[in-house]
Amino acid sequence: MPSNLSQNLSTLTSYGNSVADICRRANLNRTQFNRYLTGQSQPSLQTLRRICDFFGVDEHEIFIAPEAFRELVRLRPPMLAARDPATGFARRLFLNQSEPAAQTGYYQGYLTDPADPSNVYVQLVKVAQSGRGTAVKIIARYPRDQINLPKRLKFEGIATQQAGRLFCVIQESKIRKSTSCIVLSLGDFDNSTTLAGLILGTEPETGNEITTYQTVWRYLGKTPDLRAALKRCGVYLAAEAPADLTK
């Protein structure tokens, strides 16, 4: 009798062009894969991981009851991975998450330049589950008389979690010249309300100069007063910043 694994593999295979095409693209032995489909044999842990990465499912999910698995893939259809290393790496790192990389909701972000700590930059950050990944959006406001930038800039990106750290890659979403990497410590708890770390990337004016900022994200909740949070965004002189921004 076919096992849960073999029946669930059959469900996944139905989303491909053919068994031969799936085996070719996933670099799997076709004869052996047919044995998995009929329940005659079980894949090794390494092969199972390759199959799950290819179809974009978690290893524990592929063993659940077939009825529940069919409902799972109906709501989250598999995106068959291409064989090129870049696509495989991106899927493995960013697009194979069963849970968000960090607590979802809104954060107030604070940035300071270690080389010039006279200014405090305040931003609004949103972290949300997006399909199989974690999406990050940032809104920054700059007074026109203080800095040579549009009054409002938006950044978008993606995040993953490794070893108690949140790793984000973001890019300014309009001109797309400025790209940065953010690494934040998640602390010792799953629902940390304060994340601290560093931003390394290119400055938003031209996208050329490499800059480093210290940053802190403070959790506001899932439904904060967004008008108030946006109003707080901007550039402040550190010596003149409101007390609640420097706590």
Side-chain angles (χ1 to χ4, degrees), residues 112-161:
T112 57
D113 184 350
D116 180 16
S118 60
N119 289 327
V120 177
Y121 300 82
V122 182
Q123 303 176 337
L124 180 63
V125 182
K126 181 182 180 182
V127 176
Q129 182 79 9
S130 178
R132 296 287 292 169
T134 301
V136 177
K137 294 184 178 180
I138 298 176
I139 296 177
R141 294 175 61 197
Y142 300 98
R144 294 190 188 279
D145 60 348
Q146 288 192 27
I147 196 165
N148 185 29
L149 284 171
K151 191 171 183 179
R152 176 181 291 195
L153 284 180
K154 295 181 180 180
F155 299 83
E156 56 187 4
I158 196 165
T160 188
Q161 180 187 154

Side-chain angles (χ1 to χ4, degrees), residues 197-216:
L198 295 172
I199 300 176
L200 175 65
T202 53
E203 47 81 28
E205 286 94 336
T206 64
N208 294 327
E209 182 181 352
I210 297 176
T211 58
T212 303
Y213 291 91
Q214 294 175 330
T215 187
V216 174

Side-chain angles (χ1 to χ4, degrees), residues 58-79:
D58 289 338
E59 293 163 36
H60 72 275
E61 293 174 339
I62 205 167
F63 289 102
I64 66 176
E67 297 81 6
F69 188 77
R70 283 194 292 270
E71 180 64 15
L72 177 74
V73 297
R74 184 185 70 82
L75 297 173
R76 198 184 69 207
M79 297 180 294

Side-chain angles (χ1 to χ4, degrees), residues 165-218:
R165 303 291 188 273
L166 182 68
F167 296 85
C168 309
V169 179
I170 64 168
Q171 185 178 61
E172 191 274 317
S173 58
K174 186 175 182 179
I175 303 176
R176 298 185 177 180
K177 285 185 177 180
S178 176
T179 302
S180 298
C181 298
I182 306 173
V183 182
L184 299 164
S185 174
L186 294 171
D188 297 326
F189 303 99
D190 292 336
N191 296 323
S192 298
T193 57
T194 301
L195 313 181
L198 295 172
I199 300 176
L200 175 65
T202 53
E203 47 81 28
E205 286 94 336
T206 64
N208 294 327
E209 182 181 352
I210 297 176
T211 58
T212 303
Y213 291 91
Q214 294 175 330
T215 187
V216 174
W217 291 3
R218 290 178 179 157

